Amino acid sequence: MKKFLEEAAVTANGPVTDTVYKLDCRAPQVAAAALPGQFVNIALTGRNTFLRRPFGIAGVSAKAREITIIYRIVGTGTENMAKLRTGDRFSIEGPLGEGTFSTKPGKTLLVGGGVGLAPLIFLARRLPDKPIVLVGGRNREELFWTDFFAENAEKLYVTTDDGSAGMKGFAVAAVPHILQNHAIGRIAVCGPTAMMRTVAEAAAAAGLPCEVSVEKRMACGIGVCLGCTFESKIDGKRYKVCTDGPVFDSREVF
């Protein structure tokens, strides 16, 4: 797959919540080539960070030649990103990753939690058949994600750990109900490792294929540093998340 290194220009950057921000930037080459599940590596000129930061692509506007990134402020790199203003420029590398989500016809269940939901927004917009979407959060305040899926989902389900909205419990608790009421052909999940593991187990029990988007610390993003490798649970082969993934068959990971 083609990869590009270009200078991106910020077209919008602002808070969705106190800690979650949405960044739109003009990056024509990346926008034209990006596929659901891929990510970009970002470097901010003149900032006090050394390594590029990887972010999943949450959306693409081919007409505007823009990509969207949704990120949570967790450290110096993302604190610097939150300070970007319209017109600011930064270096972007991408789209990265050879392992992408399937966009074949058929009914897909998308399951996500936290910022893991960001790449699933892009997937929902590219699927030929509107997906069923399951959003998991700790409480009602974390369910703002549903707004990003509303136009592209056949039906939205939500779970909260504290029961303040939707079904009480973890996201996997809603999976049996969804499978009983919808003719799901495959599952795609991105979020905390524990969530992905339990959803993958539920998919296996139902005999459904499941794709997971793996998160690892990626220093280079191009398969050189070997800092993001893991061993396949099927045949012991070592995979690089940044190049072989980040999307894998769940059986390889769990």
Side-chain angles (χ1 to χ4, degrees), residues 111-135:
V111 186
V115 290
L117 283 154
L120 296 180
I121 299 170
F122 186 14
L123 175 59
R125 292 172 178 170
R126 285 290 180 91
L127 288 170
D129 302 287
K130 285 193 173 184
I132 307 300
V133 179
L134 172 56
V135 175

Side-chain angles (χ1 to χ4, degrees), residues 140-210:
R140 180 185 295 274
E141 286 68 37
E142 292 194 0
L143 299 181
F144 63 87
W145 292 98
T146 57
D147 294 339
F148 291 104
F149 289 98
E151 292 185 3
N152 301 102
E154 178 182 302
K155 189 172 179 62
L156 274 162
Y157 291 87
V158 298
T159 64
T160 50
D161 298 355
D162 64 1
S164 56
M167 181 183 291
K168 182 177 182 179
F170 299 133
V172 69
V175 171
H177 172 77
I178 294 172
L179 297 184
Q180 186 177 6
N181 288 276
H182 302 275
I184 301 298
R186 63 178 178 270
I187 298 176
V189 57
C190 185
T193 299
M195 167 189 279
M196 293 198 296
R197 181 186 298 277
T198 55
V199 172
E201 290 170 350
L208 292 174
C210 180

Side-chain angles (χ1 to χ4, degrees), residues 39-43 48-55 75-78 81 218:
F39 66 99
V40 293
N41 263 359
I42 288 176
N48 54 342
T49 52
F50 178 69
L51 297 174
R52 288 178 177 268
R53 298 295 195 269
F55 297 93
T76 302
T78 44
M81 283 182 63
M218 293 183 281

Side-chain angles (χ1 to χ4, degrees), residues 230-245:
F230 74 93
E231 186 177 289
S232 167
K233 299 301 186 292
I234 295 178
D235 58 11
K237 178 181 177 180
R238 293 210 68 83
Y239 286 110
K240 303 171 186 176
V241 172
C242 65
T243 52
D244 297 316

